Amino acid sequence: MSGGPYNRGMAPHPLSWIGQLALPRLTLLLNHIVSSEPVATAKLQAHAGRTIDIRWDSSFSPSLPGLLARVLPTGKGQPSPWRFVITPAGLFEAVEPPVSPDNTDTTVTTPNGLTITVRLADPLTMARQALRGERPEVNIEGDAALAEVASWMMKNLRWDIQDDIARLMGTAPAEMLRTVGESIKQSLQRWRPQSGTRPGSPR
């Protein structure tokens, strides 16, 4: 995934490195879980070609020494968005999100897709929030039927991949991703589309 333009005074949120280094591996783990449950793949097959975007909203922007600031990709101080396309086999493919023509928005939202925006604090604050049982704020927009499938998957599939993530990236990033995942799960279970939102295809 692209890290965005270079910036001489800011470093990216640590989750941006998780995306760049580990998104392919995370996608493999995700598909391993989904493929083990035929009901999950069948639910996703009904939405083949649609996208699920995970966007990150963060004001985290620490200063770095000059040399590091010149070599580290930063974007806008937040991780690059993740886009997953649902395949005809009922699995996920990670793809590069298209940038809007005027470059004022991070990604272009696709029709009948689902967009999940996670508000990230700085890592220290996120650690303190986790100790208090608090989780990042999550905003959900898009297709109600696809959101229902995502909610069902978060609730019913066994997501015991934290050890795999820890071996890949370390304990702290794994715990950070676990906290984000729990926040997304809770938000999907509570979310209801706004009045006038057109429902998606039948499940």
Side-chain angles (χ1 to χ4, degrees), residues 63-93:
S63 299
L64 281 181
L67 176 61
L68 288 178
R70 286 193 293 273
V71 300
L72 292 179
T74 65
K76 296 181 180 179
Q78 60 199 31
S80 298
W82 299 354
R83 169 166 289 185
F84 298 97
V85 176
I86 301 172
T87 72
L91 299 173
F92 294 99
E93 179 184 1

PDB file of all heavy atoms in Angstrom, residues 63-93:
ATOM      1  N   SER A  63       6.805  14.918  15.792  1.00  0.00           N
ATOM      2  CA  SER A  63       7.985  15.370  15.059  1.00  0.00           C
ATOM      3  C   SER A  63       9.063  14.304  15.108  1.00  0.00           C
ATOM      4  O   SER A  63       9.142  13.510  16.034  1.00  0.00           O
ATOM      5  CB  SER A  63       8.520  16.670  15.665  1.00  0.00           C
ATOM      6  OG  SER A  63       7.537  17.688  15.584  1.00  0.00           O
ATOM      7  N   LEU A  64       9.908  14.316  14.091  1.00  0.00           N
ATOM      8  CA  LEU A  64      11.026  13.375  14.017  1.00  0.00           C
ATOM      9  C   LEU A  64      12.312  14.141  13.750  1.00  0.00           C
ATOM     10  O   LEU A  64      12.289  15.230  13.192  1.00  0.00           O
ATOM     11  CB  LEU A  64      10.815  12.368  12.877  1.00  0.00           C
ATOM     12  CG  LEU A  64       9.876  11.201  13.133  1.00  0.00           C
ATOM     13  CD1 LEU A  64       9.841  10.333  11.884  1.00  0.00           C
ATOM     14  CD2 LEU A  64      10.322  10.374  14.316  1.00  0.00           C
ATOM     15  N   PRO A  65      13.445  13.534  14.106  1.00  0.00           N
ATOM     16  CA  PRO A  65      14.717  14.136  13.686  1.00  0.00           C
ATOM     17  C   PRO A  65      14.779  14.239  12.166  1.00  0.00           C
ATOM     18  O   PRO A  65      14.134  13.472  11.446  1.00  0.00           O
ATOM     19  CB  PRO A  65      15.754  13.141  14.223  1.00  0.00           C
ATOM     20  CG  PRO A  65      15.067  12.434  15.344  1.00  0.00           C
ATOM     21  CD  PRO A  65      13.616  12.355  14.938  1.00  0.00           C
ATOM     22  N   GLY A  66      15.562  15.181  11.690  1.00  0.00           N
ATOM     23  CA  GLY A  66      15.580  15.485  10.261  1.00  0.00           C
ATOM     24  C   GLY A  66      15.779  14.299   9.352  1.00  0.00           C
ATOM     25  O   GLY A  66      15.074  14.133   8.363  1.00  0.00           O
ATOM     26  N   LEU A  67      16.743  13.416   9.655  1.00  0.00           N
ATOM     27  CA  LEU A  67      17.025  12.292   8.778  1.00  0.00           C
ATOM     28  C   LEU A  67      15.834  11.360   8.675  1.00  0.00           C
ATOM     29  O   LEU A  67      15.414  10.987   7.577  1.00  0.00           O
ATOM     30  CB  LEU A  67      18.252  11.527   9.288  1.00  0.00           C
ATOM     31  CG  LEU A  67      18.605  10.253   8.501  1.00  0.00           C
ATOM     32  CD1 LEU A  67      18.931  10.609   7.050  1.00  0.00           C
ATOM     33  CD2 LEU A  67      19.771   9.518   9.143  1.00  0.00           C
ATOM     34  N   LEU A  68      15.248  10.981   9.829  1.00  0.00           N
ATOM     35  CA  LEU A  68      14.100  10.085   9.798  1.00  0.00           C
ATOM     36  C   LEU A  68      12.913  10.735   9.114  1.00  0.00           C
ATOM     37  O   LEU A  68      12.163  10.090   8.387  1.00  0.00           O
ATOM     38  CB  LEU A  68      13.715   9.671  11.224  1.00  0.00           C
ATOM     39  CG  LEU A  68      14.669   8.706  11.928  1.00  0.00           C
ATOM     40  CD1 LEU A  68      14.180   8.421  13.340  1.00  0.00           C
ATOM     41  CD2 LEU A  68      14.791   7.410  11.138  1.00  0.00           C
ATOM     42  N   ALA A  69      12.728  12.021   9.353  1.00  0.00           N
ATOM     43  CA  ALA A  69      11.599  12.711   8.741  1.00  0.00           C
ATOM     44  C   ALA A  69      11.702  12.712   7.222  1.00  0.00           C
ATOM     45  O   ALA A  69      10.692  12.743   6.530  1.00  0.00           O
ATOM     46  CB  ALA A  69      11.525  14.155   9.263  1.00  0.00           C
ATOM     47  N   ARG A  70      12.949  12.667   6.705  1.00  0.00           N
ATOM     48  CA  ARG A  70      13.120  12.679   5.253  1.00  0.00           C
ATOM     49  C   ARG A  70      12.866  11.313   4.621  1.00  0.00           C
ATOM     50  O   ARG A  70      12.507  11.230   3.455  1.00  0.00           O
ATOM     51  CB  ARG A  70      14.534  13.163   4.896  1.00  0.00           C
ATOM     52  CG  ARG A  70      14.732  14.658   5.086  1.00  0.00           C
ATOM     53  CD  ARG A  70      16.021  15.114   4.418  1.00  0.00           C
ATOM     54  NE  ARG A  70      17.214  14.582   5.064  1.00  0.00           N
ATOM     55  CZ  ARG A  70      17.824  15.163   6.086  1.00  0.00           C
ATOM     56  NH1 ARG A  70      17.350  16.283   6.583  1.00  0.00           N
ATOM     57  NH2 ARG A  70      18.908  14.616   6.625  1.00  0.00           N
ATOM     58  N   VAL A  71      13.055  10.242   5.392  1.00  0.00           N
ATOM     59  CA  VAL A  71      12.973   8.914   4.780  1.00  0.00           C
ATOM     60  C   VAL A  71      11.686   8.172   5.098  1.00  0.00           C
ATOM     61  O   VAL A  71      11.390   7.162   4.470  1.00  0.00           O
ATOM     62  CB  VAL A  71      14.173   8.032   5.214  1.00  0.00           C
ATOM     63  CG1 VAL A  71      15.463   8.674   4.793  1.00  0.00           C
ATOM     64  CG2 VAL A  71      14.154   7.764   6.714  1.00  0.00           C
ATOM     65  N   LEU A  72      10.903   8.651   6.065  1.00  0.00           N
ATOM     66  CA  LEU A  72       9.686   7.933   6.414  1.00  0.00           C
ATOM     67  C   LEU A  72       8.500   8.498   5.638  1.00  0.00           C
ATOM     68  O   LEU A  72       8.273   9.703   5.634  1.00  0.00           O
ATOM     69  CB  LEU A  72       9.390   8.056   7.917  1.00  0.00           C
ATOM     70  CG  LEU A  72      10.362   7.334   8.845  1.00  0.00           C
ATOM     71  CD1 LEU A  72       9.947   7.558  10.287  1.00  0.00           C
ATOM     72  CD2 LEU A  72      10.402   5.847   8.540  1.00  0.00           C
ATOM     73  N   PRO A  73       7.694   7.642   4.974  1.00  0.00           N
ATOM     74  CA  PRO A  73       6.478   8.110   4.308  1.00  0.00           C
ATOM     75  C   PRO A  73       5.421   8.443   5.341  1.00  0.00           C
ATOM     76  O   PRO A  73       5.276   7.762   6.334  1.00  0.00           O
ATOM     77  CB  PRO A  73       6.044   6.904   3.472  1.00  0.00           C
ATOM     78  CG  PRO A  73       6.606   5.736   4.195  1.00  0.00           C
ATOM     79  CD  PRO A  73       7.883   6.202   4.835  1.00  0.00           C
ATOM     80  N   THR A  74       4.684   9.531   5.111  1.00  0.00           N
ATOM     81  CA  THR A  74       3.767   9.970   6.156  1.00  0.00           C
ATOM     82  C   THR A  74       2.342  10.163   5.719  1.00  0.00           C
ATOM     83  O   THR A  74       1.455  10.177   6.541  1.00  0.00           O
ATOM     84  CB  THR A  74       4.242  11.307   6.743  1.00  0.00           C
ATOM     85  OG1 THR A  74       4.160  12.302   5.727  1.00  0.00           O
ATOM     86  CG2 THR A  74       5.661  11.225   7.240  1.00  0.00           C
ATOM     87  N   GLY A  75       2.049  10.393   4.477  1.00  0.00           N
ATOM     88  CA  GLY A  75       0.686  10.737   4.092  1.00  0.00           C
ATOM     89  C   GLY A  75       0.258  11.974   4.845  1.00  0.00           C
ATOM     90  O   GLY A  75       0.923  12.994   4.847  1.00  0.00           O
ATOM     91  N   LYS A  76      -0.850  11.889   5.582  1.00  0.00           N
ATOM     92  CA  LYS A  76      -1.345  12.997   6.386  1.00  0.00           C
ATOM     93  C   LYS A  76      -1.259  12.653   7.868  1.00  0.00           C
ATOM     94  O   LYS A  76      -2.065  13.097   8.666  1.00  0.00           O
ATOM     95  CB  LYS A  76      -2.787  13.317   5.987  1.00  0.00           C
ATOM     96  CG  LYS A  76      -2.918  13.814   4.549  1.00  0.00           C
ATOM     97  CD  LYS A  76      -4.359  14.137   4.219  1.00  0.00           C
ATOM     98  CE  LYS A  76      -4.493  14.641   2.782  1.00  0.00           C
ATOM     99  NZ  LYS A  76      -5.888  14.945   2.421  1.00  0.00           N
ATOM    100  N   GLY A  77      -0.275  11.823   8.245  1.00  0.00           N
ATOM    101  CA  GLY A  77      -0.137  11.444   9.629  1.00  0.00           C
ATOM    102  C   GLY A  77      -1.063  10.325  10.027  1.00  0.00           C
ATOM    103  O   GLY A  77      -1.241  10.071  11.211  1.00  0.00           O
ATOM    104  N   GLN A  78      -1.687   9.647   9.086  1.00  0.00           N
ATOM    105  CA  GLN A  78      -2.604   8.570   9.390  1.00  0.00           C
ATOM    106  C   GLN A  78      -2.394   7.428   8.398  1.00  0.00           C
ATOM    107  O   GLN A  78      -1.837   7.631   7.326  1.00  0.00           O
ATOM    108  CB  GLN A  78      -4.052   9.057   9.334  1.00  0.00           C
ATOM    109  CG  GLN A  78      -4.470   9.602   7.985  1.00  0.00           C
ATOM    110  CD  GLN A  78      -5.698  10.480   8.083  1.00  0.00           C
ATOM    111  OE1 GLN A  78      -5.933  11.137   9.092  1.00  0.00           O
ATOM    112  NE2 GLN A  78      -6.490  10.501   7.047  1.00  0.00           N
ATOM    113  N   PRO A  79      -2.808   6.221   8.771  1.00  0.00           N
ATOM    114  CA  PRO A  79      -2.589   5.083   7.871  1.00  0.00           C
ATOM    115  C   PRO A  79      -3.321   5.239   6.549  1.00  0.00           C
ATOM    116  O   PRO A  79      -4.355   5.902   6.459  1.00  0.00           O
ATOM    117  CB  PRO A  79      -3.159   3.904   8.671  1.00  0.00           C
ATOM    118  CG  PRO A  79      -3.159   4.361  10.094  1.00  0.00           C
ATOM    119  CD  PRO A  79      -3.406   5.829  10.042  1.00  0.00           C
ATOM    120  N   SER A  80      -2.775   4.614   5.519  1.00  0.00           N
ATOM    121  CA  SER A  80      -3.465   4.568   4.235  1.00  0.00           C
ATOM    122  C   SER A  80      -4.724   3.730   4.371  1.00  0.00           C
ATOM    123  O   SER A  80      -4.768   2.789   5.165  1.00  0.00           O
ATOM    124  CB  SER A  80      -2.559   3.947   3.170  1.00  0.00           C
ATOM    125  OG  SER A  80      -1.397   4.723   2.978  1.00  0.00           O
ATOM    126  N   PRO A  81      -5.766   4.052   3.618  1.00  0.00           N
ATOM    127  CA  PRO A  81      -7.005   3.268   3.711  1.00  0.00           C
ATOM    128  C   PRO A  81      -6.806   1.855   3.190  1.00  0.00           C
ATOM    129  O   PRO A  81      -5.943   1.602   2.348  1.00  0.00           O
ATOM    130  CB  PRO A  81      -7.978   4.060   2.829  1.00  0.00           C
ATOM    131  CG  PRO A  81      -7.098   4.803   1.873  1.00  0.00           C
ATOM    132  CD  PRO A  81      -5.849   5.139   2.632  1.00  0.00           C
ATOM    133  N   TRP A  82      -7.609   0.945   3.697  1.00  0.00           N
ATOM    134  CA  TRP A  82      -7.619  -0.433   3.230  1.00  0.00           C
ATOM    135  C   TRP A  82      -8.896  -0.659   2.438  1.00  0.00           C
ATOM    136  O   TRP A  82      -9.979  -0.254   2.872  1.00  0.00           O
ATOM    137  CB  TRP A  82      -7.591  -1.422   4.393  1.00  0.00           C
ATOM    138  CG  TRP A  82      -6.393  -1.327   5.284  1.00  0.00           C
ATOM    139  CD1 TRP A  82      -5.288  -0.530   5.092  1.00  0.00           C
ATOM    140  CD2 TRP A  82      -6.179  -2.022   6.516  1.00  0.00           C
ATOM    141  NE1 TRP A  82      -4.401  -0.703   6.128  1.00  0.00           N
ATOM    142  CE2 TRP A  82      -4.914  -1.614   7.012  1.00  0.00           C
ATOM    143  CE3 TRP A  82      -6.916  -2.946   7.241  1.00  0.00           C
ATOM    144  CZ2 TRP A  82      -4.390  -2.100   8.208  1.00  0.00           C
ATOM    145  CZ3 TRP A  82      -6.400  -3.442   8.425  1.00  0.00           C
ATOM    146  CH2 TRP A  82      -5.148  -3.024   8.896  1.00  0.00           C
ATOM    147  N   ARG A  83      -8.795  -1.289   1.288  1.00  0.00           N
ATOM    148  CA  ARG A  83      -9.986  -1.643   0.507  1.00  0.00           C
ATOM    149  C   ARG A  83      -9.961  -3.135   0.202  1.00  0.00           C
ATOM    150  O   ARG A  83      -8.966  -3.655  -0.293  1.00  0.00           O
ATOM    151  CB  ARG A  83     -10.075  -0.840  -0.787  1.00  0.00           C
ATOM    152  CG  ARG A  83     -11.157  -1.372  -1.748  1.00  0.00           C
ATOM    153  CD  ARG A  83     -11.485  -0.390  -2.857  1.00  0.00           C
ATOM    154  NE  ARG A  83     -12.221   0.760  -2.318  1.00  0.00           N
ATOM    155  CZ  ARG A  83     -12.724   1.737  -3.082  1.00  0.00           C
ATOM    156  NH1 ARG A  83     -12.536   1.715  -4.388  1.00  0.00           N
ATOM    157  NH2 ARG A  83     -13.381   2.735  -2.536  1.00  0.00           N
ATOM    158  N   PHE A  84     -11.058  -3.787   0.529  1.00  0.00           N
ATOM    159  CA  PHE A  84     -11.227  -5.199   0.234  1.00  0.00           C
ATOM    160  C   PHE A  84     -12.367  -5.360  -0.766  1.00  0.00           C
ATOM    161  O   PHE A  84     -13.464  -4.833  -0.553  1.00  0.00           O
ATOM    162  CB  PHE A  84     -11.554  -5.994   1.497  1.00  0.00           C
ATOM    163  CG  PHE A  84     -10.482  -5.944   2.543  1.00  0.00           C
ATOM    164  CD1 PHE A  84     -10.559  -5.042   3.596  1.00  0.00           C
ATOM    165  CD2 PHE A  84      -9.391  -6.797   2.481  1.00  0.00           C
ATOM    166  CE1 PHE A  84      -9.571  -4.985   4.568  1.00  0.00           C
ATOM    167  CE2 PHE A  84      -8.393  -6.744   3.445  1.00  0.00           C
ATOM    168  CZ  PHE A  84      -8.479  -5.841   4.494  1.00  0.00           C
ATOM    169  N   VAL A  85     -12.099  -6.085  -1.848  1.00  0.00           N
ATOM    170  CA  VAL A  85     -13.132  -6.429  -2.822  1.00  0.00           C
ATOM    171  C   VAL A  85     -13.598  -7.855  -2.535  1.00  0.00           C
ATOM    172  O   VAL A  85     -12.768  -8.751  -2.320  1.00  0.00           O
ATOM    173  CB  VAL A  85     -12.605  -6.322  -4.264  1.00  0.00           C
ATOM    174  CG1 VAL A  85     -13.665  -6.781  -5.261  1.00  0.00           C
ATOM    175  CG2 VAL A  85     -12.187  -4.893  -4.567  1.00  0.00           C
ATOM    176  N   ILE A  86     -14.898  -8.075  -2.528  1.00  0.00           N
ATOM    177  CA  ILE A  86     -15.448  -9.412  -2.317  1.00  0.00           C
ATOM    178  C   ILE A  86     -15.391 -10.171  -3.638  1.00  0.00           C
ATOM    179  O   ILE A  86     -15.887  -9.697  -4.662  1.00  0.00           O
ATOM    180  CB  ILE A  86     -16.891  -9.337  -1.796  1.00  0.00           C
ATOM    181  CG1 ILE A  86     -16.925  -8.563  -0.473  1.00  0.00           C
ATOM    182  CG2 ILE A  86     -17.477 -10.742  -1.613  1.00  0.00           C
ATOM    183  CD1 ILE A  86     -18.320  -8.259   0.027  1.00  0.00           C
ATOM    184  N   THR A  87     -14.778 -11.332  -3.621  1.00  0.00           N
ATOM    185  CA  THR A  87     -14.586 -12.112  -4.845  1.00  0.00           C
ATOM    186  C   THR A  87     -15.782 -13.021  -5.097  1.00  0.00           C
ATOM    187  O   THR A  87     -16.584 -13.279  -4.194  1.00  0.00           O
ATOM    188  CB  THR A  87     -13.317 -12.977  -4.745  1.00  0.00           C
ATOM    189  OG1 THR A  87     -13.560 -14.050  -3.813  1.00  0.00           O
ATOM    190  CG2 THR A  87     -12.127 -12.151  -4.268  1.00  0.00           C
ATOM    191  N   PRO A  88     -15.924 -13.541  -6.328  1.00  0.00           N
ATOM    192  CA  PRO A  88     -17.012 -14.484  -6.621  1.00  0.00           C
ATOM    193  C   PRO A  88     -16.968 -15.744  -5.761  1.00  0.00           C
ATOM    194  O   PRO A  88     -17.993 -16.408  -5.580  1.00  0.00           O
ATOM    195  CB  PRO A  88     -16.802 -14.819  -8.098  1.00  0.00           C
ATOM    196  CG  PRO A  88     -16.105 -13.619  -8.656  1.00  0.00           C
ATOM    197  CD  PRO A  88     -15.204 -13.144  -7.562  1.00  0.00           C
ATOM    198  N   ALA A  89     -15.791 -16.067  -5.214  1.00  0.00           N
ATOM    199  CA  ALA A  89     -15.675 -17.245  -4.349  1.00  0.00           C
ATOM    200  C   ALA A  89     -16.117 -16.957  -2.913  1.00  0.00           C
ATOM    201  O   ALA A  89     -16.103 -17.857  -2.070  1.00  0.00           O
ATOM    202  CB  ALA A  89     -14.232 -17.743  -4.350  1.00  0.00           C
ATOM    203  N   GLY A  90     -16.512 -15.705  -2.633  1.00  0.00           N
ATOM    204  CA  GLY A  90     -16.923 -15.360  -1.284  1.00  0.00           C
ATOM    205  C   GLY A  90     -15.753 -15.109  -0.356  1.00  0.00           C
ATOM    206  O   GLY A  90     -15.847 -15.353   0.856  1.00  0.00           O
ATOM    207  N   LEU A  91     -14.652 -14.610  -0.896  1.00  0.00           N
ATOM    208  CA  LEU A  91     -13.466 -14.277  -0.113  1.00  0.00           C
ATOM    209  C   LEU A  91     -13.130 -12.796  -0.317  1.00  0.00           C
ATOM    210  O   LEU A  91     -13.900 -12.064  -0.952  1.00  0.00           O
ATOM    211  CB  LEU A  91     -12.292 -15.162  -0.521  1.00  0.00           C
ATOM    212  CG  LEU A  91     -12.498 -16.672  -0.304  1.00  0.00           C
ATOM    213  CD1 LEU A  91     -11.342 -17.462  -0.898  1.00  0.00           C
ATOM    214  CD2 LEU A  91     -12.675 -16.999   1.175  1.00  0.00           C
ATOM    215  N   PHE A  92     -11.984 -12.367   0.203  1.00  0.00           N
ATOM    216  CA  PHE A  92     -11.588 -10.967   0.112  1.00  0.00           C
ATOM    217  C   PHE A  92     -10.294 -10.821  -0.676  1.00  0.00           C
ATOM    218  O   PHE A  92      -9.387 -11.641  -0.563  1.00  0.00           O
ATOM    219  CB  PHE A  92     -11.392 -10.366   1.507  1.00  0.00           C
ATOM    220  CG  PHE A  92     -12.645 -10.274   2.323  1.00  0.00           C
ATOM    221  CD1 PHE A  92     -12.936 -11.235   3.278  1.00  0.00           C
ATOM    222  CD2 PHE A  92     -13.538  -9.236   2.130  1.00  0.00           C
ATOM    223  CE1 PHE A  92     -14.090 -11.161   4.036  1.00  0.00           C
ATOM    224  CE2 PHE A  92     -14.703  -9.146   2.875  1.00  0.00           C
ATOM    225  CZ  PHE A  92     -14.980 -10.115   3.844  1.00  0.00           C
ATOM    226  N   GLU A  93     -10.211  -9.754  -1.444  1.00  0.00           N
ATOM    227  CA  GLU A  93      -8.991  -9.382  -2.134  1.00  0.00           C
ATOM    228  C   GLU A  93      -8.654  -7.948  -1.752  1.00  0.00           C
ATOM    229  O   GLU A  93      -9.484  -7.039  -1.905  1.00  0.00           O
ATOM    230  CB  GLU A  93      -9.152  -9.482  -3.651  1.00  0.00           C
ATOM    231  CG  GLU A  93      -7.903  -9.079  -4.420  1.00  0.00           C
ATOM    232  CD  GLU A  93      -8.113  -9.089  -5.927  1.00  0.00           C
ATOM    233  OE1 GLU A  93      -9.236  -9.388  -6.382  1.00  0.00           O
ATOM    234  OE2 GLU A  93      -7.151  -8.767  -6.645  1.00  0.00           O
TER     235      GLU A  93
END
